Amino acid sequence: QVQLVESGGGLVQPGGSLRLSCAASGFILDYYAIGWFRQAPGKEREALSCISSTDGITYYADSVKGRFTISRDNAKNTVYLQMNSLGPEDTAVYYCAAGMFHSDYERRCGDISYYEYTYWGQGTQVTVSS
C-alpha cells in the first residue's frame, strides 16, 4: 500500500523547534520530489519547502526561509522538516507530498503546484502557543 505518514507535530512554545518526519511506504522515495505544505484554518494551503529527488536541490518560501530546513534520508525512505524559531503564525496542519517530475522541472520544485503532487500524507498538527 502506497502511503506517506507525517509525524512529529505537537504543541510548542514560541521560539521553540520541532522536526517533522514524512515516511514513505509502498514506494521508493528516492525517485520522488518531496514538498512540505501547511494549511491553517480559514487559509489557503501554503507551499513551504521542497527537495528534488536527484540533486537534493531545495526551495523555501520566504515565510520560512532561514528557519526551516528540509532534508531527506533515502536509506530510511524519509524526508524531514526541521522547524526552528517557531511563532504563532506557524500554527497549522502540515502535510508532505511526493511526486515524480522531469528532472529540469523538479530542480525548480518551488514552481510545482500542490495539485501536481501524486501522494499526500494525512497531515500533522503543529500548534505554537505559550
Side-chain angles (χ1 to χ4, degrees), residues 11 13 16 25 40 60 70 72-73 76 93:
L11 174 64
Q13 291 188 342
S25 60
Y60 298 95
I70 191 171
R72 61 194 306 155
D73 186 339
K76 295 183 178 180
V93 178

Side-chain angles (χ1 to χ4, degrees), residues 2 4 6 22 27 29 31-38 45-53 57-61 70 72 79 95-102 105-121:
V2 173
L4 283 174
E6 301 98 336
C22 172
F27 67 105
L29 214 51
Y31 305 124
Y32 289 78
I34 305 298
W36 280 99
F37 300 79
R38 69 185 176 190
R45 191 174 325 194
E46 179 186 10
L48 303 176
S49 180
C50 54
I51 185 167
S52 66
S53 62
I57 292 173
T58 58
Y59 158 86
Y60 298 95
I70 191 171
R72 61 194 306 155
V79 173
Y95 301 90
C96 64
M100 292 183 74
F101 307 99
H102 188 277
Y105 190 34
E106 71 162 23
R107 291 191 183 101
R108 298 179 284 110
C109 64
D111 293 338
I112 300 174
S113 300
Y114 74 89
Y115 52 81
E116 296 180 86
Y117 285 89
T118 304
Y119 303 119
W120 286 83

Side-chain angles (χ1 to χ4, degrees), residues 55-129:
D55 306 84
I57 292 173
T58 58
Y59 158 86
Y60 298 95
D62 288 343
S63 58
V64 304
K65 196 174 295 182
R67 300 189 300 125
F68 289 13
T69 303
I70 191 171
S71 62
R72 61 194 306 155
D73 186 339
N74 289 339
K76 295 183 178 180
N77 222 27
T78 301
V79 173
Y80 303 98
L81 186 68
Q82 177 67 43
M83 307 188 298
N84 300 327
S85 302
L86 288 165
E89 68 278 9
D90 295 312
T91 295
V93 178
Y94 284 67
Y95 301 90
C96 64
M100 292 183 74
F101 307 99
H102 188 277
S103 58
D104 289 342
Y105 190 34
E106 71 162 23
R107 291 191 183 101
R108 298 179 284 110
C109 64
D111 293 338
I112 300 174
S113 300
Y114 74 89
Y115 52 81
E116 296 180 86
Y117 285 89
T118 304
Y119 303 119
W120 286 83
Q122 83 290 350
T124 185
Q125 176 70 47
V126 171
T127 302
V128 185
S129 175

